[in-house]
Amino acid sequence: MADVHSKKIRSYNMSRIKNKDTSPEILVRKFLFAKGFRYRLNVKDLPGTPDIVLKKYKTIIFVNGCFWHGHKGCKYFVLPKTRTEWWLQKIKDTQKRDKKAEIELNVLGWRVITIWSCELKPKKVEQRLNSLINSLL
Ligand SMILES: [Zn+2]
């Protein structure tokens, strides 16, 4: 009984975290679009299925959730107290995939920019997105 309960809570938490992770990406997209940048989304024929591809600038943007991608030193990256080892392994695997995709993209001549969801919190978002634009131009 207890296990069923914790399983329910876990999947609830997971769906919540996942939903949270989609909105920062939309925020970045909307900002870029408003600034006149055009892009492709979730490009499957590139390593790592990049979130945002700016072909004209040979630049790829990944918008990473701090928990799922294990943002080092970030206050939003807190390992759950239960099944800690399992989560740690899962996040390490994600980080490995991220690194591999970045290297492959670099080899193909793409510049890779990672934006962390914590950088898109209300107090930081303006500065982060402006510096993104500056790095593109
Ligand atoms: Zn973070």
Side-chain angles (χ1 to χ4, degrees):
M1 186 63 191
D3 198 49
V4 172
H5 187 60
S6 67
K7 204 174 176 183
K8 260 187 189 167
I9 290 171
R10 202 158 56 231
S11 60
Y12 169 72
N13 285 339
M14 277 175 74
S15 67
R16 248 181 24 152
I17 293 164
K18 270 186 184 161
N19 288 339
K20 268 189 194 164
D21 279 354
T22 57
S23 71
E25 191 189 322
I26 290 166
L27 206 140
V28 175
R29 277 190 226 164
K30 281 188 173 164
F31 182 84
L32 287 170
F33 195 85
K35 295 283 179 185
F37 292 92
R38 296 297 176 261
Y39 43 74
R40 288 176 66 204
L41 300 173
N42 306 313
V43 180
K44 291 191 176 66
D45 52 355
L46 284 173
T49 315
D51 299 325
I52 300 169
V53 176
L54 295 147
K55 201 178 171 198
K56 192 175 158 189
Y57 300 88
K58 263 290 187 185
T59 298
I60 274 160
I61 301 169
F62 285 102
V63 182
N64 284 351
C66 297
F67 177 72
W68 293 103
H69 296 264
H71 191 194
K72 278 197 186 79
C74 175
K75 67 174 176 180
Y76 298 102
F77 173 46
V78 180
L79 280 168
K81 289 197 166 56
T82 55
R83 302 182 82 204
T84 307
E85 281 302 312
W86 184 83
W87 281 109
L88 194 61
Q89 192 54 54
K90 192 176 170 64
I91 289 161
K92 273 184 182 168
D93 290 345
T94 303
Q95 289 174 321
K96 257 187 223 164
R97 273 202 305 276
D98 289 348
K99 196 68 212 163
K100 186 169 175 278
E102 186 178 344
I103 291 166
E104 287 172 6
L105 288 163
N106 287 158
V107 168
L108 293 169
W110 294 91
R111 180 167 59 142
V112 176
I113 296 175
T114 300
I115 297 180
W116 295 95
S117 55
C118 66
E119 297 177 303
L120 301 171
K121 298 283 176 192
K123 278 185 184 165
K124 293 184 177 173
V125 64
E126 200 181 320
Q127 195 193 347
R128 182 62 185 101
L129 292 180
N130 284 327
S131 83
L132 171 68
I133 297 294
N134 287 334
S135 66
L136 291 173
L137 299 176

